[in-house]
Amino acid sequence: QVQLVESGGGLVQPGGSLRLSCAASGSIFRLDNMGWYRQAPGNQRELVATITSGGSSNYGDSVKGRFTISRDNAKNTVYLQMNSLKVEDTAVYYCNADGQHNIGYRLPFVSWGQGTQVTVSS
């Protein structure tokens, strides 16, 4: 019922930058945590960054100092600014969010986006 749609992926050269966006839609009472995860072929999905509704953020060790997560609560949107990109950052990036539905008993939800491809290559 709650859908997440990512955008902003693409091909970029090493050292370049990309900005990913993820918009949540549906019957949402509130969004709590939002975040980004990534998965390269043959690898497990790993944490990139998360952010709480209050703006507190957490980053995976491999992206600290290079990536910045932010959110616009009015738009139910989370962003990931990726700078100083490396070849190792190549992966499908997935948006994640949890919160409560704006229906009935306010049941909690966890949603995932379809993913957006980020390719870092010369």
Side-chain angles (χ1 to χ4, degrees):
Q1 189 168 0
V2 176
Q3 299 183 41
L4 305 178
V5 180
E6 303 101 332
S7 62
L11 176 65
V12 65
Q13 294 183 338
S17 298
L18 282 175
R19 182 176 174 84
L20 305 183
S21 299
C22 172
S25 62
S27 298
I28 302 170
F29 174 68
R30 74 183 193 192
L31 287 171
D32 294 325
N33 305 298
M34 303 186 77
W36 293 93
Y37 295 75
R38 67 187 183 186
Q39 187 169 20
N43 295 336
Q44 296 184 158
R45 188 174 298 185
E46 66 174 353
L47 173 86
V48 177
T50 60
I51 186 168
T52 68
S53 60
S56 297
S57 59
N58 181 62
Y59 297 91
D61 289 339
S62 64
V63 306
K64 288 180 179 177
R66 299 187 298 120
F67 292 9
T68 302
I69 190 170
S70 62
R71 63 190 289 169
D72 186 335
N73 292 330
K75 297 180 179 179
N76 287 341
T77 300
V78 64
Y79 306 94
L80 184 68
Q81 179 66 47
M82 304 184 292
N83 298 326
S84 301
L85 283 163
K86 304 175 180 179
V87 173
E88 305 93 273
D89 295 318
T90 297
V92 177
Y93 284 69
Y94 297 91
C95 180
N96 170 261
D98 63 63
Q100 294 181 337
H101 291 113
N102 188 28
I103 57 174
Y105 299 97
R106 303 286 193 266
L107 294 176
F109 69 84
V110 178
S111 293
W112 290 90
Q114 292 290 326
T116 184
Q117 177 70 48
V118 172
T119 302
V120 184
S121 176
S122 299

